[in-house]
Short mmCIF file of all heavy atoms in Angstrom, two decimals:
data_model
loop_
_atom_site.label_atom_id
_atom_site.label_comp_id
_atom_site.label_asym_id
_atom_site.label_seq_id
_atom_site.Cartn_x
_atom_site.Cartn_y
_atom_site.Cartn_z
N TYR O 129 -31.73 30.74 -29.01
CA TYR O 129 -32.75 30.05 -28.19
C TYR O 129 -32.15 28.72 -27.70
O TYR O 129 -32.27 28.36 -26.55
CB TYR O 129 -34.01 29.86 -29.00
CG TYR O 129 -35.19 29.26 -28.26
CD1 TYR O 129 -36.03 30.08 -27.52
CD2 TYR O 129 -35.52 27.89 -28.37
CE1 TYR O 129 -37.14 29.51 -26.85
CE2 TYR O 129 -36.64 27.37 -27.74
CZ TYR O 129 -37.43 28.21 -26.99
OH TYR O 129 -38.53 27.65 -26.35
N GLN O 130 -31.51 28.01 -28.60
CA GLN O 130 -30.88 26.73 -28.23
C GLN O 130 -29.80 26.90 -27.17
O GLN O 130 -29.79 26.21 -26.14
CB GLN O 130 -30.27 26.03 -29.47
CG GLN O 130 -31.30 25.50 -30.43
CD GLN O 130 -30.63 25.05 -31.70
OE1 GLN O 130 -30.19 25.87 -32.51
NE2 GLN O 130 -30.54 23.78 -31.89
N HIS O 131 -28.93 27.89 -27.39
CA HIS O 131 -27.82 28.12 -26.44
C HIS O 131 -28.35 28.47 -25.08
O HIS O 131 -27.89 27.95 -24.08
CB HIS O 131 -26.88 29.21 -26.93
CG HIS O 131 -26.09 28.79 -28.10
ND1 HIS O 131 -25.82 29.62 -29.19
CD2 HIS O 131 -25.50 27.64 -28.36
CE1 HIS O 131 -25.06 28.91 -30.07
NE2 HIS O 131 -24.86 27.74 -29.56
N VAL O 132 -29.34 29.38 -25.05
CA VAL O 132 -29.83 29.83 -23.72
C VAL O 132 -30.53 28.69 -23.05
O VAL O 132 -30.38 28.50 -21.86
CB VAL O 132 -30.73 31.09 -23.91
CG1 VAL O 132 -31.41 31.47 -22.60
CG2 VAL O 132 -29.89 32.26 -24.40
N ASN O 133 -31.31 27.89 -23.82
CA ASN O 133 -31.98 26.74 -23.18
C ASN O 133 -30.98 25.74 -22.60
O ASN O 133 -31.16 25.19 -21.54
CB ASN O 133 -32.92 26.06 -24.16
CG ASN O 133 -34.34 26.67 -24.19
OD1 ASN O 133 -35.32 26.02 -23.92
ND2 ASN O 133 -34.43 27.98 -24.50
N GLN O 134 -29.85 25.61 -23.28
CA GLN O 134 -28.79 24.70 -22.80
C GLN O 134 -28.25 25.25 -21.49
O GLN O 134 -28.01 24.49 -20.53
CB GLN O 134 -27.64 24.64 -23.81
CG GLN O 134 -27.68 23.34 -24.64
CD GLN O 134 -26.96 23.49 -25.97
OE1 GLN O 134 -26.32 24.54 -26.22
NE2 GLN O 134 -27.01 22.45 -26.76
N ARG O 135 -28.03 26.56 -21.39
CA ARG O 135 -27.50 27.16 -20.19
C ARG O 135 -28.45 26.97 -19.05
O ARG O 135 -28.05 26.70 -17.90
CB ARG O 135 -27.22 28.68 -20.45
CG ARG O 135 -26.29 29.26 -19.49
CD ARG O 135 -25.88 30.65 -19.91
NE ARG O 135 -25.38 30.70 -21.26
CZ ARG O 135 -25.61 31.69 -22.12
NH1 ARG O 135 -26.36 32.74 -21.76
NH2 ARG O 135 -25.12 31.63 -23.32
N PHE O 136 -29.73 27.14 -19.25
CA PHE O 136 -30.74 26.94 -18.23
C PHE O 136 -30.66 25.46 -17.74
O PHE O 136 -30.69 25.15 -16.52
CB PHE O 136 -32.16 27.23 -18.69
CG PHE O 136 -32.60 28.65 -18.53
CD1 PHE O 136 -32.17 29.64 -19.41
CD2 PHE O 136 -33.43 29.01 -17.50
CE1 PHE O 136 -32.57 30.94 -19.24
CE2 PHE O 136 -33.85 30.32 -17.32
CZ PHE O 136 -33.43 31.29 -18.20
N ALA O 137 -30.55 24.55 -18.71
CA ALA O 137 -30.56 23.13 -18.36
C ALA O 137 -29.32 22.78 -17.53
O ALA O 137 -29.41 22.03 -16.51
CB ALA O 137 -30.59 22.24 -19.61
N ALA O 138 -28.17 23.38 -17.85
CA ALA O 138 -26.94 23.10 -17.13
C ALA O 138 -27.10 23.58 -15.68
O ALA O 138 -26.68 22.91 -14.73
CB ALA O 138 -25.77 23.76 -17.78
N ALA O 139 -27.70 24.73 -15.50
CA ALA O 139 -27.89 25.28 -14.14
C ALA O 139 -28.84 24.39 -13.35
O ALA O 139 -28.62 24.14 -12.16
CB ALA O 139 -28.45 26.72 -14.23
N VAL O 140 -29.91 23.93 -14.03
CA VAL O 140 -30.83 23.03 -13.33
C VAL O 140 -30.13 21.75 -12.91
O VAL O 140 -30.26 21.28 -11.77
CB VAL O 140 -32.04 22.64 -14.32
CG1 VAL O 140 -32.85 21.50 -13.71
CG2 VAL O 140 -32.94 23.86 -14.54
N ALA O 141 -29.32 21.18 -13.83
CA ALA O 141 -28.70 19.89 -13.58
C ALA O 141 -27.73 20.00 -12.38
O ALA O 141 -27.54 19.10 -11.61
CB ALA O 141 -27.92 19.46 -14.80
N GLU O 142 -27.18 21.22 -12.21
CA GLU O 142 -26.24 21.40 -11.12
C GLU O 142 -26.88 21.48 -9.73
O GLU O 142 -26.31 21.05 -8.74
CB GLU O 142 -25.44 22.69 -11.37
CG GLU O 142 -24.08 22.69 -10.75
CD GLU O 142 -23.24 23.87 -11.28
OE1 GLU O 142 -22.72 23.76 -12.37
OE2 GLU O 142 -23.21 24.88 -10.57
N VAL O 143 -28.09 22.05 -9.66
CA VAL O 143 -28.69 22.28 -8.33
C VAL O 143 -29.75 21.20 -7.98
O VAL O 143 -30.27 21.19 -6.86
CB VAL O 143 -29.32 23.62 -8.16
CG1 VAL O 143 -28.29 24.69 -8.01
CG2 VAL O 143 -30.30 23.95 -9.25
N ALA O 144 -30.07 20.31 -8.94
CA ALA O 144 -31.11 19.32 -8.65
C ALA O 144 -30.50 18.14 -7.83
O ALA O 144 -29.48 17.58 -8.21
CB ALA O 144 -31.70 18.75 -9.92
N ALA O 145 -31.18 17.77 -6.72
CA ALA O 145 -30.72 16.63 -5.91
C ALA O 145 -31.04 15.35 -6.68
O ALA O 145 -31.87 15.36 -7.61
CB ALA O 145 -31.45 16.68 -4.61
N PRO O 146 -30.43 14.24 -6.30
CA PRO O 146 -30.78 12.97 -6.98
C PRO O 146 -32.25 12.71 -6.91
O PRO O 146 -32.90 12.84 -5.86
CB PRO O 146 -30.02 11.95 -6.16
CG PRO O 146 -28.88 12.71 -5.54
CD PRO O 146 -29.41 14.05 -5.29
N GLY O 147 -32.85 12.40 -8.05
CA GLY O 147 -34.29 12.11 -8.10
C GLY O 147 -35.22 13.30 -7.89
O GLY O 147 -36.41 13.17 -7.66
N ALA O 148 -34.64 14.52 -8.00
CA ALA O 148 -35.42 15.75 -7.73
C ALA O 148 -36.60 15.91 -8.67
O ALA O 148 -36.64 15.30 -9.72
CB ALA O 148 -34.51 17.00 -7.86
N ARG O 149 -37.52 16.79 -8.30
CA ARG O 149 -38.60 17.19 -9.19
C ARG O 149 -38.20 18.51 -9.83
O ARG O 149 -37.88 19.49 -9.12
CB ARG O 149 -39.91 17.38 -8.44
CG ARG O 149 -40.30 16.09 -7.75
CD ARG O 149 -41.75 16.17 -7.27
NE ARG O 149 -41.87 16.93 -6.04
CZ ARG O 149 -43.02 17.01 -5.37
NH1 ARG O 149 -44.08 16.39 -5.79
NH2 ARG O 149 -43.09 17.68 -4.28
N VAL O 150 -38.21 18.58 -11.15
CA VAL O 150 -37.80 19.74 -11.87
C VAL O 150 -39.08 20.26 -12.61
O VAL O 150 -39.73 19.53 -13.34
CB VAL O 150 -36.71 19.45 -12.88
CG1 VAL O 150 -36.41 20.66 -13.78
CG2 VAL O 150 -35.46 19.02 -12.20
N TRP O 151 -39.42 21.52 -12.36
CA TRP O 151 -40.64 22.11 -12.96
C TRP O 151 -40.27 23.29 -13.83
O TRP O 151 -39.84 24.34 -13.30
CB TRP O 151 -41.62 22.49 -11.87
CG TRP O 151 -42.95 22.94 -12.39
CD1 TRP O 151 -43.32 23.09 -13.73
CD2 TRP O 151 -44.09 23.30 -11.60
NE1 TRP O 151 -44.62 23.52 -13.79
CE2 TRP O 151 -45.09 23.65 -12.54
CE3 TRP O 151 -44.36 23.36 -10.24
CZ2 TRP O 151 -46.39 24.05 -12.08
CZ3 TRP O 151 -45.59 23.78 -9.82
CH2 TRP O 151 -46.61 24.12 -10.74
N ILE O 152 -40.32 23.10 -15.16
CA ILE O 152 -39.93 24.12 -16.10
C ILE O 152 -41.16 24.89 -16.58
O ILE O 152 -42.18 24.29 -16.82
CB ILE O 152 -39.23 23.44 -17.30
CG1 ILE O 152 -38.01 22.65 -16.80
CG2 ILE O 152 -38.82 24.41 -18.37
CD1 ILE O 152 -37.61 21.47 -17.64
N GLN O 153 -41.02 26.24 -16.65
CA GLN O 153 -42.16 27.12 -16.99
C GLN O 153 -42.03 27.69 -18.40
O GLN O 153 -41.03 28.31 -18.75
CB GLN O 153 -42.27 28.27 -16.03
CG GLN O 153 -42.19 27.91 -14.58
CD GLN O 153 -43.44 27.26 -14.02
OE1 GLN O 153 -44.52 27.47 -14.58
NE2 GLN O 153 -43.31 26.44 -13.01
N ASP O 154 -43.07 27.49 -19.20
CA ASP O 154 -43.39 28.32 -20.32
C ASP O 154 -42.60 28.20 -21.63
O ASP O 154 -41.63 27.48 -21.71
CB ASP O 154 -43.37 29.79 -19.87
CG ASP O 154 -44.66 30.53 -20.25
OD1 ASP O 154 -45.50 29.93 -20.95
OD2 ASP O 154 -44.84 31.68 -19.86
N TYR O 155 -43.09 29.00 -22.61
CA TYR O 155 -42.62 28.81 -23.99
C TYR O 155 -41.20 29.24 -24.23
O TYR O 155 -40.62 28.87 -25.27
CB TYR O 155 -43.57 29.62 -24.93
CG TYR O 155 -43.55 31.14 -24.67
CD1 TYR O 155 -42.84 31.95 -25.51
CD2 TYR O 155 -44.20 31.69 -23.59
CE1 TYR O 155 -42.83 33.33 -25.27
CE2 TYR O 155 -44.17 33.04 -23.34
CZ TYR O 155 -43.47 33.86 -24.19
OH TYR O 155 -43.42 35.19 -23.98
N GLN O 156 -40.59 30.00 -23.31
CA GLN O 156 -39.19 30.41 -23.55
C GLN O 156 -38.24 29.23 -23.32
O GLN O 156 -37.07 29.30 -23.73
CB GLN O 156 -38.80 31.54 -22.59
CG GLN O 156 -39.64 32.78 -22.69
CD GLN O 156 -40.72 32.79 -21.62
OE1 GLN O 156 -41.05 31.72 -21.04
NE2 GLN O 156 -41.36 33.95 -21.43
N LEU O 157 -38.71 28.19 -22.65
CA LEU O 157 -37.82 27.09 -22.22
C LEU O 157 -38.28 25.72 -22.74
O LEU O 157 -38.23 24.74 -22.00
CB LEU O 157 -37.70 27.09 -20.72
CG LEU O 157 -37.27 28.39 -20.04
CD1 LEU O 157 -37.19 28.24 -18.50
CD2 LEU O 157 -35.87 28.80 -20.57
N GLN O 158 -38.69 25.65 -23.99
CA GLN O 158 -39.23 24.36 -24.47
C GLN O 158 -38.20 23.31 -24.77
O GLN O 158 -38.53 22.13 -24.91
CB GLN O 158 -40.08 24.62 -25.73
CG GLN O 158 -41.32 25.42 -25.39
CD GLN O 158 -42.13 25.70 -26.66
OE1 GLN O 158 -42.97 24.89 -27.02
NE2 GLN O 158 -41.93 26.81 -27.27
N LEU O 159 -36.91 23.68 -24.87
CA LEU O 159 -35.86 22.69 -25.11
C LEU O 159 -35.25 22.17 -23.83
O LEU O 159 -34.52 21.18 -23.83
CB LEU O 159 -34.78 23.28 -26.04
CG LEU O 159 -35.28 23.87 -27.34
CD1 LEU O 159 -34.10 24.47 -28.16
CD2 LEU O 159 -35.99 22.82 -28.17
N VAL O 160 -35.55 22.89 -22.72
CA VAL O 160 -34.93 22.53 -21.46
C VAL O 160 -35.28 21.08 -21.01
O VAL O 160 -34.38 20.36 -20.54
CB VAL O 160 -35.25 23.60 -20.38
CG1 VAL O 160 -34.68 23.18 -19.04
CG2 VAL O 160 -34.66 24.96 -20.79
N PRO O 161 -36.52 20.64 -21.20
CA PRO O 161 -36.79 19.27 -20.72
C PRO O 161 -35.82 18.23 -21.31
O PRO O 161 -35.26 17.41 -20.57
CB PRO O 161 -38.23 19.00 -21.17
CG PRO O 161 -38.86 20.40 -21.19
CD PRO O 161 -37.74 21.30 -21.67
N ALA O 162 -35.62 18.24 -22.61
CA ALA O 162 -34.75 17.24 -23.22
C ALA O 162 -33.28 17.42 -22.84
O ALA O 162 -32.57 16.46 -22.57
CB ALA O 162 -34.89 17.23 -24.75
N TYR O 163 -32.84 18.69 -22.73
CA TYR O 163 -31.45 18.91 -22.33
C TYR O 163 -31.22 18.43 -20.89
O TYR O 163 -30.21 17.83 -20.59
CB TYR O 163 -31.10 20.43 -22.41
CG TYR O 163 -31.01 21.00 -23.80
CD1 TYR O 163 -31.35 22.36 -24.03
CD2 TYR O 163 -30.58 20.27 -24.89
CE1 TYR O 163 -31.27 22.92 -25.30
CE2 TYR O 163 -30.47 20.83 -26.13
CZ TYR O 163 -30.82 22.16 -26.35
OH TYR O 163 -30.71 22.73 -27.58
N VAL O 164 -32.19 18.69 -20.02
CA VAL O 164 -32.03 18.26 -18.63
C VAL O 164 -32.01 16.70 -18.58
O VAL O 164 -31.20 16.10 -17.87
CB VAL O 164 -33.19 18.79 -17.72
CG1 VAL O 164 -33.17 18.10 -16.36
CG2 VAL O 164 -33.02 20.32 -17.54
N ARG O 165 -32.87 16.08 -19.36
CA ARG O 165 -32.92 14.60 -19.33
C ARG O 165 -31.55 13.99 -19.70
O ARG O 165 -31.12 13.03 -19.19
CB ARG O 165 -34.01 14.10 -20.25
CG ARG O 165 -34.14 12.54 -20.25
CD ARG O 165 -35.37 12.07 -20.94
NE ARG O 165 -36.60 12.43 -20.22
CZ ARG O 165 -37.08 11.77 -19.17
NH1 ARG O 165 -36.49 10.68 -18.71
NH2 ARG O 165 -38.18 12.18 -18.60
N THR O 166 -30.92 14.64 -20.79
CA THR O 166 -29.60 14.15 -21.18
C THR O 166 -28.61 14.25 -20.00
O THR O 166 -27.81 13.36 -19.79
CB THR O 166 -29.09 14.96 -22.39
OG1 THR O 166 -30.13 14.98 -23.33
CG2 THR O 166 -27.84 14.40 -22.97
N LEU O 167 -28.66 15.42 -19.34
CA LEU O 167 -27.64 15.63 -18.29
C LEU O 167 -27.97 14.86 -17.04
O LEU O 167 -27.07 14.44 -16.32
CB LEU O 167 -27.57 17.17 -17.93
CG LEU O 167 -27.11 18.09 -19.06
CD1 LEU O 167 -27.40 19.54 -18.70
CD2 LEU O 167 -25.66 17.86 -19.31
N ARG O 168 -29.29 14.75 -16.73
CA ARG O 168 -29.70 14.16 -15.47
C ARG O 168 -30.89 13.24 -15.66
O ARG O 168 -32.03 13.55 -15.32
CB ARG O 168 -30.08 15.31 -14.49
CG ARG O 168 -28.91 16.15 -14.01
CD ARG O 168 -27.97 15.36 -13.08
NE ARG O 168 -28.72 14.80 -11.96
CZ ARG O 168 -28.98 15.48 -10.85
NH1 ARG O 168 -28.49 16.66 -10.63
NH2 ARG O 168 -29.68 14.90 -9.87
N PRO O 169 -30.62 12.00 -16.15
CA PRO O 169 -31.77 11.10 -16.43
C PRO O 169 -32.46 10.65 -15.15
O PRO O 169 -33.54 10.06 -15.22
CB PRO O 169 -31.07 9.91 -17.14
CG PRO O 169 -29.61 10.09 -17.05
CD PRO O 169 -29.33 11.48 -16.63
N ASP O 170 -31.87 10.92 -13.99
CA ASP O 170 -32.47 10.48 -12.74
C ASP O 170 -33.64 11.37 -12.25
O ASP O 170 -34.43 10.97 -11.41
CB ASP O 170 -31.40 10.46 -11.63
CG ASP O 170 -30.84 11.84 -11.37
OD1 ASP O 170 -30.23 12.38 -12.33
OD2 ASP O 170 -30.96 12.39 -10.28
N VAL O 171 -33.73 12.63 -12.77
CA VAL O 171 -34.73 13.54 -12.20
C VAL O 171 -36.07 13.41 -12.92
O VAL O 171 -36.16 12.85 -14.03
CB VAL O 171 -34.27 15.02 -12.20
CG1 VAL O 171 -32.99 15.19 -11.40
CG2 VAL O 171 -34.07 15.56 -13.63
N ARG O 172 -37.08 13.90 -12.27
CA ARG O 172 -38.44 13.88 -12.82
C ARG O 172 -38.75 15.26 -13.39
O ARG O 172 -38.56 16.26 -12.71
CB ARG O 172 -39.35 13.60 -11.62
CG ARG O 172 -40.65 13.09 -11.93
CD ARG O 172 -41.24 12.58 -10.62
NE ARG O 172 -40.79 11.21 -10.34
CZ ARG O 172 -41.49 10.33 -9.71
NH1 ARG O 172 -42.68 10.66 -9.21
NH2 ARG O 172 -41.04 9.12 -9.51
N ILE O 173 -39.19 15.31 -14.65
CA ILE O 173 -39.25 16.61 -15.35
C ILE O 173 -40.64 16.99 -15.79
O ILE O 173 -41.32 16.23 -16.52
CB ILE O 173 -38.35 16.59 -16.61
CG1 ILE O 173 -36.89 16.18 -16.24
CG2 ILE O 173 -38.35 17.95 -17.28
CD1 ILE O 173 -36.04 15.82 -17.39
N GLY O 174 -41.11 18.16 -15.32
CA GLY O 174 -42.44 18.64 -15.71
C GLY O 174 -42.27 19.98 -16.41
O GLY O 174 -41.29 20.74 -16.17
N TRP O 175 -43.20 20.32 -17.29
CA TRP O 175 -43.22 21.61 -17.99
C TRP O 175 -44.65 22.13 -18.00
O TRP O 175 -45.58 21.36 -18.23
CB TRP O 175 -42.67 21.42 -19.38
CG TRP O 175 -42.67 22.63 -20.28
CD1 TRP O 175 -41.82 23.69 -20.28
CD2 TRP O 175 -43.65 22.94 -21.36
NE1 TRP O 175 -42.18 24.61 -21.27
CE2 TRP O 175 -43.26 24.14 -21.93
CE3 TRP O 175 -44.78 22.24 -21.83
CZ2 TRP O 175 -44.03 24.74 -22.97
CZ3 TRP O 175 -45.52 22.86 -22.86
CH2 TRP O 175 -45.11 24.09 -23.41
N PHE O 176 -44.83 23.43 -17.77
CA PHE O 176 -46.16 23.98 -17.86
C PHE O 176 -46.15 25.15 -18.86
O PHE O 176 -45.31 26.03 -18.80
CB PHE O 176 -46.64 24.53 -16.48
CG PHE O 176 -48.04 25.05 -16.54
CD1 PHE O 176 -49.12 24.22 -16.60
CD2 PHE O 176 -48.26 26.40 -16.63
CE1 PHE O 176 -50.41 24.67 -16.70
CE2 PHE O 176 -49.56 26.94 -16.74
CZ PHE O 176 -50.62 26.05 -16.76
N ASN O 177 -47.16 25.11 -19.75
CA ASN O 177 -47.26 26.15 -20.78
C ASN O 177 -48.29 27.23 -20.31
O ASN O 177 -49.46 26.88 -20.19
CB ASN O 177 -47.73 25.48 -22.07
CG ASN O 177 -47.59 26.38 -23.26
OD1 ASN O 177 -46.71 27.20 -23.27
ND2 ASN O 177 -48.44 26.20 -24.26
N HIS O 178 -47.84 28.45 -20.11
CA HIS O 178 -48.76 29.49 -19.63
C HIS O 178 -49.58 30.08 -20.78
O HIS O 178 -50.56 30.77 -20.53
CB HIS O 178 -47.94 30.60 -18.94
CG HIS O 178 -47.38 30.14 -17.63
ND1 HIS O 178 -47.92 30.48 -16.41
CD2 HIS O 178 -46.31 29.36 -17.35
CE1 HIS O 178 -47.24 29.94 -15.44
NE2 HIS O 178 -46.26 29.26 -15.98
N ILE O 179 -49.15 29.81 -21.98
CA ILE O 179 -49.84 30.42 -23.15
C ILE O 179 -50.54 29.28 -23.91
O ILE O 179 -50.37 28.11 -23.60
CB ILE O 179 -48.90 31.25 -24.01
CG1 ILE O 179 -47.85 30.35 -24.71
CG2 ILE O 179 -48.20 32.32 -23.14
CD1 ILE O 179 -46.96 31.12 -25.68
N PRO O 180 -51.34 29.58 -24.92
CA PRO O 180 -52.02 28.51 -25.67
C PRO O 180 -50.97 27.65 -26.41
O PRO O 180 -49.86 28.10 -26.68
CB PRO O 180 -52.88 29.25 -26.67
CG PRO O 180 -52.96 30.65 -26.19
CD PRO O 180 -51.72 30.93 -25.42
N PHE O 181 -51.36 26.39 -26.72
CA PHE O 181 -50.53 25.63 -27.66
C PHE O 181 -51.33 25.63 -28.95
O PHE O 181 -52.50 25.23 -29.01
CB PHE O 181 -50.27 24.19 -27.19
CG PHE O 181 -49.14 23.58 -27.95
CD1 PHE O 181 -47.83 23.74 -27.48
CD2 PHE O 181 -49.34 22.90 -29.12
CE1 PHE O 181 -46.75 23.24 -28.19
CE2 PHE O 181 -48.27 22.39 -29.84
CZ PHE O 181 -46.96 22.54 -29.40
N PRO O 182 -50.74 26.05 -30.07
CA PRO O 182 -51.50 26.33 -31.26
C PRO O 182 -51.99 25.07 -32.03
O PRO O 182 -51.38 24.01 -31.86
CB PRO O 182 -50.53 27.12 -32.17
CG PRO O 182 -49.20 26.62 -31.76
CD PRO O 182 -49.29 26.33 -30.29
N PRO O 183 -53.00 25.23 -32.85
CA PRO O 183 -53.42 24.13 -33.72
C PRO O 183 -52.30 23.72 -34.64
O PRO O 183 -51.44 24.58 -34.96
CB PRO O 183 -54.55 24.72 -34.55
CG PRO O 183 -54.94 25.95 -33.85
CD PRO O 183 -53.83 26.42 -33.02
N VAL O 184 -52.22 22.47 -34.99
CA VAL O 184 -51.09 21.98 -35.80
C VAL O 184 -50.86 22.78 -37.07
O VAL O 184 -49.74 22.95 -37.49
CB VAL O 184 -51.21 20.41 -36.05
CG1 VAL O 184 -52.39 20.13 -36.90
CG2 VAL O 184 -49.94 19.84 -36.66
N GLU O 185 -51.90 23.28 -37.67
CA GLU O 185 -51.77 24.01 -38.94
C GLU O 185 -50.90 25.26 -38.76
O GLU O 185 -50.20 25.69 -39.65
CB GLU O 185 -53.15 24.46 -39.51
CG GLU O 185 -54.04 23.30 -39.98
CD GLU O 185 -54.70 22.55 -38.81
OE1 GLU O 185 -54.58 22.99 -37.65
OE2 GLU O 185 -55.33 21.49 -39.10
N LEU O 186 -50.99 25.87 -37.58
CA LEU O 186 -50.10 27.03 -37.31
C LEU O 186 -48.74 26.63 -36.79
O LEU O 186 -47.71 27.12 -37.23
CB LEU O 186 -50.77 27.96 -36.25
CG LEU O 186 -52.06 28.64 -36.69
CD1 LEU O 186 -52.67 29.50 -35.56
CD2 LEU O 186 -51.76 29.50 -37.88
N PHE O 187 -48.70 25.64 -35.89
CA PHE O 187 -47.44 25.17 -35.33
C PHE O 187 -46.55 24.66 -36.46
O PHE O 187 -45.30 24.85 -36.43
CB PHE O 187 -47.70 24.05 -34.30
CG PHE O 187 -46.49 23.63 -33.56
CD1 PHE O 187 -45.97 24.38 -32.53
CD2 PHE O 187 -45.79 22.47 -33.98
CE1 PHE O 187 -44.78 23.98 -31.88
CE2 PHE O 187 -44.62 22.10 -33.32
CZ PHE O 187 -44.12 22.84 -32.26
N ALA O 188 -47.16 24.07 -37.45
CA ALA O 188 -46.40 23.47 -38.58
C ALA O 188 -45.57 24.52 -39.35
O ALA O 188 -44.59 24.14 -40.06
CB ALA O 188 -47.33 22.74 -39.54
N GLN O 189 -45.95 25.82 -39.23
CA GLN O 189 -45.16 26.83 -39.93
C GLN O 189 -43.72 26.93 -39.37
O GLN O 189 -42.84 27.42 -40.09
CB GLN O 189 -45.84 28.21 -39.77
CG GLN O 189 -47.15 28.31 -40.53
CD GLN O 189 -47.73 29.72 -40.34
OE1 GLN O 189 -47.05 30.66 -39.95
NE2 GLN O 189 -49.01 29.90 -40.63
N LEU O 190 -43.53 26.57 -38.13
CA LEU O 190 -42.22 26.79 -37.51
C LEU O 190 -41.18 25.92 -38.17
O LEU O 190 -41.29 24.67 -38.18
CB LEU O 190 -42.30 26.40 -36.04
CG LEU O 190 -42.92 27.43 -35.12
CD1 LEU O 190 -43.31 26.79 -33.78
CD2 LEU O 190 -41.98 28.59 -34.88
N PRO O 191 -40.10 26.51 -38.70
CA PRO O 191 -39.05 25.74 -39.34
C PRO O 191 -38.40 24.74 -38.35
O PRO O 191 -37.82 23.78 -38.77
CB PRO O 191 -38.03 26.76 -39.78
CG PRO O 191 -38.81 28.04 -39.87
CD PRO O 191 -39.88 27.96 -38.85
N TRP O 192 -38.58 24.99 -37.08
CA TRP O 192 -37.92 24.18 -36.05
C TRP O 192 -38.96 23.40 -35.24
O TRP O 192 -38.75 23.09 -34.06
CB TRP O 192 -37.07 25.08 -35.12
CG TRP O 192 -36.16 25.95 -35.98
CD1 TRP O 192 -35.00 25.57 -36.61
CD2 TRP O 192 -36.39 27.30 -36.38
NE1 TRP O 192 -34.51 26.58 -37.31
CE2 TRP O 192 -35.34 27.68 -37.20
CE3 TRP O 192 -37.41 28.24 -36.10
CZ2 TRP O 192 -35.26 28.96 -37.79
CZ3 TRP O 192 -37.33 29.51 -36.67
CH2 TRP O 192 -36.28 29.82 -37.50
N ARG O 193 -40.04 23.05 -35.91
CA ARG O 193 -41.14 22.36 -35.19
C ARG O 193 -40.71 21.03 -34.62
O ARG O 193 -41.11 20.67 -33.51
CB ARG O 193 -42.34 22.21 -36.15
CG ARG O 193 -42.00 21.36 -37.37
CD ARG O 193 -42.90 21.60 -38.53
NE ARG O 193 -42.73 20.55 -39.52
CZ ARG O 193 -43.38 20.47 -40.65
NH1 ARG O 193 -44.21 21.45 -40.96
NH2 ARG O 193 -43.21 19.47 -41.48
#
Side-chain angles (χ1 to χ4, degrees):
Y129 186 81
Q130 289 171 287
H131 288 140
V132 171
N133 272 240
Q134 259 157 3
R135 198 171 307 143
F136 270 79
V140 168
E142 206 170 279
V143 288
R149 301 193 280 188
V150 173
W151 186 357
I152 301 154
Q153 311 286 333
D154 232 354
Y155 63 103
Q156 303 95 345
L157 303 181
Q158 293 179 86
L159 305 178
V160 175
Y163 291 149
V164 169
R165 181 170 293 278
T166 309
L167 297 168
R168 290 292 304 273
D170 60 300
V171 300
R172 200 166 275 211
I173 305 167
W175 176 80
F176 182 78
N177 194 29
H178 290 258
I179 67 174
F181 197 89
V184 64
E185 292 77 6
L186 293 179
F187 186 80
Q189 290 181 17
L190 282 163
W192 309 282
R193 61 202 194 181

